[in-house]
Amino acid sequence: MIRRPPRSTLSSSSAASDVYKRQDQAYSDNAANHPGFWISGSNGGTGFLAWNIQSNDDGLNFFAGNFLGNSTWGSGDINTSETSFALYANPGGAYVNADRAFSEALPSGSSLTFLLGINLDNGNKGFYLYAGTQCEVFNFNVRSGGNVSSANAMLTPGDGRYDWGGNDAVIEVLISVLTATSFSYTISRTSSAGFQGTLFSGTVSDSTQLLSGLRFYNSGTADGSPQNYLWINSLSGDNNALPVELTSFTGELVWDAVKLNWQTATEVNNYGF
C-alpha cells in the first residue's frame, strides 16, 4: 500500500495611469512556476500571496502532505511541463490544506479559473472560497458524488448535472464576480472523451465582503494511491473591474465649457475620484 508519494482624479495623468494599471491586475500560477518543490511559503506566479500549507502528518498514524507530480498518475492530464500540484491525506483523520490569498480582493468584474484532477470520491477533497478574513462563502466537495454549499452566504443553484465516473476526469472551475456581494460559479467536467457538461452552476449572494482567497483540501481518503490525490493546476484570472462605480454622471453647458457632475457608489484604489 502506497502511503506517501515520491518526493485620485482624472485630471491628473499620473493618477489616471495608476488607476488603469490596477484594473489590469492578473492572477496566474501553475506548477511549472515552482521548479523542484512546492512547500508552504512558495510564491510563484502573480497576483497571489504565498502558499500556506498545513497538515497533521505524523509519519505513523496520519499520512498527509503536498508535492509536485504528474496528474496522469491518478486522474486526467492538467499538467504544465508534466507537473501539477498534489495533495494527499490518509487514512481517516488525516488532512492537508493549501491556502492561497489574493494580493488584492477580487472586485466586481473580475474572474478566476483553475483545473482539478480528481478520480475517487472517498474522503473529502475539493476547495473553499473565502471572503474577508477566512469567512467561507463557497465549498465544492467531491465526497460521495459531489456537492456545493455556502456556510455564510446564499447559494442559488442553476443548471447542471453530475457525471463523475472515469479515471481521467478533469474539472474546470470558473468563478465570476458579479457585484461586491455576489459571484457566479460554473464547474465542468472533461475527460479523454471530450467535454461532458456542467456539473454544477449557480450564484452566491449576500456575501458581506469581497473574495479574498481560496483553500484546496484533502482529508480522510481510504489509502495513499494516486487515485485518491487532489490534483490542482493552472490558476488564472483577470481583474477587469472599473476603479469606480458610478450612480450618476451628467454634463451641462456653462458658457463655452462643459461642466461634468458625478457621484460614485464605490471607489477601488482611487479614493477621492
Side-chain angles (χ1 to χ4, degrees):
M1 178 182 297
I2 301 172
R3 291 188 178 273
R4 293 183 185 274
R7 296 310 304 168
S8 79
T9 66
L10 293 180
S11 61
S12 168
S13 60
S14 61
S17 173
D18 183 58
V19 167
Y20 288 107
K21 284 180 182 177
R22 290 180 184 273
Q23 80 180 66
D24 289 336
Q25 171 74 53
Y27 307 89
S28 178
D29 195 17
N30 61 64
N33 292 327
H34 303 258
F37 60 91
W38 172 48
I39 60 174
S40 191
S42 295
N43 196 18
T46 59
F48 296 95
L49 301 182
W51 286 96
N52 179 19
I53 305 173
Q54 310 245 344
S55 77
N56 65 343
D57 181 276
D58 63 7
L60 181 62
N61 298 304
F62 301 127
F63 303 90
N66 54 284
F67 69 105
L68 297 174
N70 190 316
S71 67
T72 61
W73 295 345
S75 67
D77 187 356
I78 63 171
N79 297 319
T80 48
S81 301
E82 299 186 348
T83 305
S84 296
F85 305 111
L87 300 176
Y88 66 95
N90 67 92
Y95 73 86
V96 57
N97 299 321
D99 294 353
R100 198 87 197 264
F102 307 120
S103 56
E104 296 181 6
L106 300 186
S108 304
S110 57
S111 63
L112 178 71
T113 65
F114 52 86
L115 298 177
L116 302 176
I118 309 173
N119 190 340
L120 303 179
D121 63 357
N122 65 82
N124 291 285
K125 55 178 82 78
F127 70 91
Y128 289 106
L129 289 175
Y130 289 111
T133 306
Q134 295 295 79
C135 177
E136 179 220 314
V137 291
F138 186 76
N139 177 28
F140 168 63
N141 188 339
V142 305
R143 182 180 179 88
S144 301
N147 62 83
V148 294
S149 61
S150 178
N152 296 288
M154 179 180 295
L155 187 147
T156 305
D159 294 335
R161 62 188 180 86
Y162 199 74
D163 180 14
W164 188 255
N167 63 7
D168 62 345
V170 170
I171 305 301
E172 181 175 3
V173 178
L174 169 62
I175 305 297
S176 298
V177 182
L178 305 176
T179 69
T181 61
S182 67
F183 60 90
S184 66
Y185 62 90
T186 304
I187 301 174
S188 305
R189 183 186 191 278
T190 303
S191 76
S192 58
F195 180 71
Q196 295 168 299
T198 299
L199 306 180
F200 299 100
S201 67
T203 59
V204 175
S205 57
D206 292 342
S207 174
T208 59
Q209 301 180 76
L210 294 171
L211 294 179
S212 57
L214 67 169
R215 164 176 290 178
F216 300 102
Y217 64 88
N218 195 350
S219 68
T221 62
D223 56 47
S225 67
Q227 289 78 18
N228 279 319
Y229 299 167
L230 175 68
W231 303 90
I232 309 151
N233 209 9
S234 299
L235 289 77
S236 178
D238 289 299
N239 175 357
N240 294 317
L242 292 174
V244 296
E245 180 180 357
L246 297 172
T247 56
S248 66
F249 191 94
T250 61
E252 59 180 315
L253 184 64
V254 179
W255 296 100
D256 60 348
V258 176
K259 181 181 179 182
L260 300 177
N261 298 283
W262 63 84
Q263 184 173 11
T264 62
T266 60
E267 302 180 10
V268 179
N269 296 319
N270 194 43
Y271 181 77
F273 176 85

